[in-house]
Amino acid sequence: MKNLAASEIKKVNIDRTGFFGRFIDLVRDSVIPYQWETLNDRVPDAAPSHCIENFRIAAGEAEGEFYGCVFQDSDLAKWIEAVAYSLMSKPDEKLEATADEVIELIGRAQQPDGYLNTYYTVREPGRRWTNLRDNHELYCAGHMMEAAAAYYNATGKRRLLDIMTRMAHHIDSVIGPEEGKLHGYPGHEEIELALVSMYHATGDPVMLKLARYFIDERGREPRFFDIEEEKREGARRDGYRDPGDYAQWHKPVREQDALEGHSVRALYLATGMADVARETGDETLLDACRRLYDNLVHRRMYITGGVGSSHYGERFTFDYDLPNGTVYAETCASIALCFFMRAMLAADPDGRYADTMETALYNTCIAGMSLDGHNFFYVNPLEVWPEASRKSPERRHVLPVRPKWFGCACCPPNLARLIMSIGKYVYTTDGSTVYTNLYVAGEAKIKTESCEATLKTETKYPLDGAVTVTASAGNYALAFRIPAFSREKFGITVNGERLNAGVERGYAVIRREWKDGDRVELKFDVSPRRVYANYKVREDAGKVAVALGPVVYCLEEVDNETPLSGVTLPASSELSCRYLPDKLGGIVEISADGTVMTDDGDDSLYRSTPPKKKPTKLTFVPYYTWANRGEGEMTVYVRES
Amino acid sequence: MKNLAASEIKKVNIDRTGFFGRFIDLVRDSVIPYQWETLNDRVPDAAPSHCIENFRIAAGEAEGEFYGCVFQDSDLAKWIEAVAYSLMSKPDEKLEATADEVIELIGRAQQPDGYLNTYYTVREPGRRWTNLRDNHELYCAGHMMEAAAAYYNATGKRRLLDIMTRMAHHIDSVIGPEEGKLHGYPGHEEIELALVSMYHATGDPVMLKLARYFIDERGREPRFFDIEEEKREGARRDGYRDPGDYAQWHKPVREQDALEGHSVRALYLATGMADVARETGDETLLDACRRLYDNLVHRRMYITGGVGSSHYGERFTFDYDLPNGTVYAETCASIALCFFMRAMLAADPDGRYADTMETALYNTCIAGMSLDGHNFFYVNPLEVWPEASRKSPERRHVLPVRPKWFGCACCPPNLARLIMSIGKYVYTTDGSTVYTNLYVAGEAKIKTESCEATLKTETKYPLDGAVTVTASAGNYALAFRIPAFSREKFGITVNGERLNAGVERGYAVIRREWKDGDRVELKFDVSPRRVYANYKVREDAGKVAVALGPVVYCLEEVDNETPLSGVTLPASSELSCRYLPDKLGGIVEISADGTVMTDDGDDSLYRSTPPKKKPTKLTFVPYYTWANRGEGEMTVYVRES
């Protein structure tokens, strides 16, 4: 059995001057307080949350009706989890007191038998566990378990951990393989991975048993959700059989070859599968994870790490179907992809998982939030035509600017917890090897089999390709991921001496007796480059994207002549870079000579001559910075001539 | 007041050897009999129609419930209309007897007060005229009026004309400006244009009065459909105000600047507007028609004459929004466009209306039917990827092969009546001028102010650009449309002598004292050509389409290497033609050298080098012949390099 990386990383302090420093400050200083106001319905022009009020009503401390989505409780859970990560890196007594207080409220909302869910407690007290498919009871429990484990890891306080342990035991009394229990699993996966976190925090074997059960039972015949529906609503007269792929119960998970259906669900499940596989040494389960990953990364992922090609069902569609303008690519789905990749890195160290994680993180995930931390995208398109967003039924879900908050508020708090726990993603360990998956400035204390290592990382990555890591004394290996984009061209020196390191499974591994202050200097190639989609991706044929390191770029109307659909980037055009510290929070801007189609006085819709083109200067900015300067067109792919 | 062209065209016999001969034979020999079987529920593997049975039940001659759409009656009306046109050009005693018999059934289904509609008579007898917005009573009446006028024109029999005159008078007693009547109009326009046909057949001024009323009242405040809904369902508590644009009641028709909403509705309304404008000399109404046309043809029409960019609402969206793969472009909408164009030609002779009509006719309209006449498309895409049609929610409505028949069977019978009455579209008259709008082989007797002209047209157009017209004696003008694609290059001789004719409003006009046997020879340029969309049409930027005369071409998988999205047609490639009498019913095939992207062993989704290309032979076939050789990819637009 392998060790879980999370529990090994004692502490990661992210450097405020590095790339993520600003994001972390934003989340801590702006998003977490703002979310707290939202949860308490104190933001005048945002949709009401009613989340805290639901807990009060469930605790019998307020009158009223449940309001919100069936999964409203999870917003509070995600907030507590983000708070936990925030406290881990920077103590804040007032914030901790607020969290302690709300955890007490949660405790009072818990029912005598351990049950915790405000929707059922307030609105349908007699109908618990009658609709696992649609009503998110296990999902909400999962999020609160993640919060419990994180809060315990951050503060050492057991209160929420105990609450959720009681809930887990309650679930175990209701669901399981035994006669008389429901042979069920969640309609929205999440609890599987959360139970593994609870297992690490508590050591309670019930946690792992339940997680494994949910994974093993899923998709088995007779299918639980068919039985549940029949019990709830009677046998269907129309003979309809739910294909089940929307929520991944179309087949047993070990027989699934591709991520299907609702993308967040699919990736939470995959994460849980990888976690359980690692904990139990289940190779068939890990193989299934590898297959899901292979299909995803070779067939179903946008260049931005976005996943979920269709708004309908917020779902995966089919291989090579990656439309740019009608896309869904939910922020939460890319966050979930980071979870999955981290779980895979812990179970099966291979740099390609970190490559994918990095792509999702630096593009779709952080594009989900405005640079001021106040506005959020759910949908992360690769092409935006604002008029179509207003008028075309196929694109109405693609917003050209980030709105403040959403009634169904899954993405903003999910992003907050990802950013606040970024340190969890930077490192994983295996035996006495420390894997550096991401290059993030900061200092980390990491426990390995042989010793505790302290690593100090200095870098402006991805704005710059230079990374300096200062190690502490000890006998351990440092495995540095060589990003795929730099595989052909990178340099490593140890204390100034050039190292000709080979790359194994994506990492350059340096094993030695380190002395305090040993310096490893890495140099990656972050010159701007052109990226082409596979020719089977129909919308991108004849087009090119521009990237720099892990960061994908885009054209925005504010910097360029429109229509962006009329822009061409000649294959011969040089991509020039300049660092602009004051633009969009500090970016490397890329520019190139191109052409743009233009009005030539011919108003006809169809004509015998091609549209007129004129030279134009193209200005590319990082995708994650788009839509921070008002409404306008945007595109990631550009025609190449 | 101008004369109606239709009543002036005595008879047009389409030559069996010409382009439309085959289509007319198909409709007569295959579609009309097949539709009759369908209407009678005698086609085993097609969805039941129940249409005739509904009439039997309404007539009290059968037991049972109404089944089908609220507009099911219109299927029979369209069939009778197609039969009428068929009988006009070729007598068929048995067919006429069948039609007479079913007309008698219709008479027996008519209620004592003249009301005729099987849905309300059978299912909701007390609820007549309570939902003009949704329930198609006026629409069904309109179709039956068109059938009545056509059947009278074809056979001289008044039975159906009398039935529908009684219905019109009944409507007049219920709807109109007078106190106590409903100040309403149809939720689906159609009756406006039908009433004008009835007016020509009967001379009854009530017909024109009603048509005008429906047009004038539409969109006026207070809006009838708001009042009707409130009466029917009570005042809305949510304060919702229907924008009304779906069915064109968002503004008074004279204030509308673009075709909006459901495309068939919008174009039926526009046709009725043009008809009424012509009959009443209403210039403001005609100006509104011109504005609608201008916007359509410069902003909202596919190169194939398809209209309606979105599946949602089967509707117009906004200017320059012409997506190729998620398109709707319903067959019926292009048929309705032909109606509108014909009405405009009669009201305001200008060859551009005929250009548009020809585009719709030779592309989207006839693409609606398979070459064997047995299968039909509703949706006419410009790009098909069969896997996406099966799996992508955004493209599920885009079928890669024509199915047999539809439960909601609007398009097939609509196409049948268009094809059978093609002669109506070939000629229009104005005073002593005969306008030839389309070049269709056949013989026509045409009454002008000065005399009756007999014109014999010999041509293989559009397979060939040569047209020979033999005139009969008399003093009249022949106005030949010079198609826009041939405006730069055409020739006309009269009795072998070259004529340097100028083109006025799209026509070359020859006014003289014709002698029997005078021969006009026209020569149009039908060499293959490249067509480019306006640069504001985003999906088509960098792409080109191929056309020959009015016929737009496409690439099909069966003739070409795939993926078609990977195909490029170099700007320098020559387009070569050859006539293939045995391919697809006889076509001019166009071929060119191109390239296609191909597998180069690199399975990665994103890469640093562009996809590999190889030379390939591109084979273009007429768009209207696509999907007659099994399922496969298709595209109209191709990247140009």
Side-chain angles (χ1 to χ4, degrees), chain A residues 301 312 532 534 605-607, chain B residues 301 312 534 605-607:
Chain A
M301 188 180 78
Y312 299 92
Y532 302 86
N534 189 293
L605 193 49
Y606 302 106
R607 43 192 268 178
Chain B
M301 188 180 79
Y312 300 92
N534 189 295
L605 193 48
Y606 303 106
R607 44 192 266 179

